Structure formats: C-alpha cells, structure tokens
Amino acid sequence: MAWIWESTVIAMVAFGVLYWLLNKYAFGPLFDVMEKRRQLVLEQMNTAENSRKAADQQMEEQKLALQQARKEAYEIIEQSRTTSSKQAEEIVQTAKSEASRLKDDALKDIESEKNKAIAALRTEVGGISVKIASKIIEKQVDEKSQEQLVGQYLKEVGNK
C-alpha cells in the first residue's frame, strides 16, 4: 500500500471540519450540561453539609435545653424539700408550744382546784372544830366519850 498525501490532507481537513462542527454543536452543549450537573452536585453537597451543621447545632441546643430543664427540675425538687422541712419543723414547734401551753394551763387549773379544795376543807374543819368544841363544852365528858367524839370527827373529815 502506498502512502497518498492528498488523502491524508483530505482526511485531516475532514477531521478538522468534523471537530469544529462537533465542538460547535455537540461538545459545547454537552460540556454545558456536564458543568450544570457538576454545579448541581456541588450545591447539593453544600446544602447537605449546611443541613448537617444545622442539625448538629439544633441537637446541641436541645441538649442544652434538656440540661437546663433538668437543672430547673432539680432546683424545684430541692426547694420543695426545703419548704417541706421548714413546714414540718414549724408544725412540730407549734405542736410542742401548744402542748406546753396546755400542760401549763392544766397545772394552773390543778393548782387552782387544789387551793379551792384546801380552802373548802379549812372552812369545813373550822366548822366541825367549832361543833366539836361546843359539844365538848356542852357535855362534860370523860375520856371515853372524848375519844368517841374525836373518832366521829375524824370519820366526818375523812368522808368529806
């Protein structure tokens, strides 16, 4: 086979024209579509990265909110414990003071009743003594009669 230079030149010119036509009508739109696709993929990757960062940030905010809520709940529980302890102490103190007051009132009432009983007994003893004295004076009694009167007097005092 012989080498023919005209056919080589024609093939080269045909290749150049074909390349120019493909470049103008096929490669340009094809490269544009590929560039648009590349841009779309980059945008989607950037959007996904931003979404991931936003999700991480929201997760951190939720963790902080949860920690804050736990802290507030703990503070409320502690405050409730403190308040209940104070109320319990106040109730116990009130009960003790009321019991003490009732005890003091009862002791005063007992003392008052005792004094009344002693006064009534003195009055009775005085009256009975006068009666015995008058009976003794009325009767000149011997020892035996005097013992009977004293015994009777003691029985009367004991009954009252």
Side-chain angles (χ1 to χ4, degrees):
M1 210 169 306
W3 185 75
I4 304 176
W5 69 272
E6 292 98 13
S7 44
T8 304
V9 170
I10 291 174
M12 288 175 110
V13 170
F15 180 75
V17 170
L18 182 62
Y19 181 76
W20 176 76
L21 286 173
L22 284 176
N23 199 19
K24 184 172 183 177
Y25 295 110
F27 291 143
L30 182 63
F31 286 145
D32 286 343
V33 168
M34 288 175 67
E35 182 61 28
K36 286 179 184 176
R37 178 69 179 157
R38 187 179 72 80
Q39 290 296 328
L40 179 64
V41 169
L42 285 175
E43 286 176 13
Q44 288 176 344
M45 287 175 56
N46 287 337
T47 303
E49 181 66 22
N50 290 340
S51 295
R52 187 188 61 77
K53 286 181 183 177
D56 287 346
Q57 184 178 4
Q58 264 187 338
M59 184 181 250
E60 287 300 318
E61 288 173 0
Q62 288 177 351
K63 283 181 183 178
L64 290 174
L66 182 61
Q67 286 176 351
Q68 183 66 25
R70 284 182 180 161
K71 181 180 176 184
E72 289 174 3
Y74 180 76
E75 288 173 358
I76 289 170
I77 290 170
E78 285 302 314
Q79 186 178 13
S80 297
R81 284 182 186 162
T82 305
T83 303
S84 64
S85 295
K86 286 180 182 177
Q87 286 177 347
E89 288 175 14
E90 288 174 3
I91 290 170
V92 168
Q93 188 61 35
T94 303
K96 284 181 180 178
S97 64
E98 183 66 19
S100 176
R101 185 188 63 79
L102 289 174
K103 180 182 171 186
D104 291 343
D105 287 349
L107 288 175
K108 286 178 185 175
D109 287 347
I110 290 170
E111 187 66 30
S112 172
E113 290 299 319
K114 178 183 163 188
N115 289 337
K116 284 180 186 177
I118 289 173
L121 188 59
R122 282 184 183 157
T123 304
E124 292 240 358
V125 167
I128 293 173
S129 295
V130 169
K131 282 182 185 178
I132 288 177
S134 66
K135 284 184 180 180
I136 290 176
I137 292 175
E138 284 178 9
K139 296 181 185 179
Q140 282 295 330
V141 286
D142 58 359
E143 258 184 61
K144 209 173 199 184
S145 298
Q146 189 176 359
E147 283 179 20
Q148 286 177 346
L149 285 174
V150 170
Q152 186 181 2
Y153 167 74
L154 288 177
K155 279 185 187 178
E156 286 179 24
V157 169
N159 288 336
K160 299 198 178 206

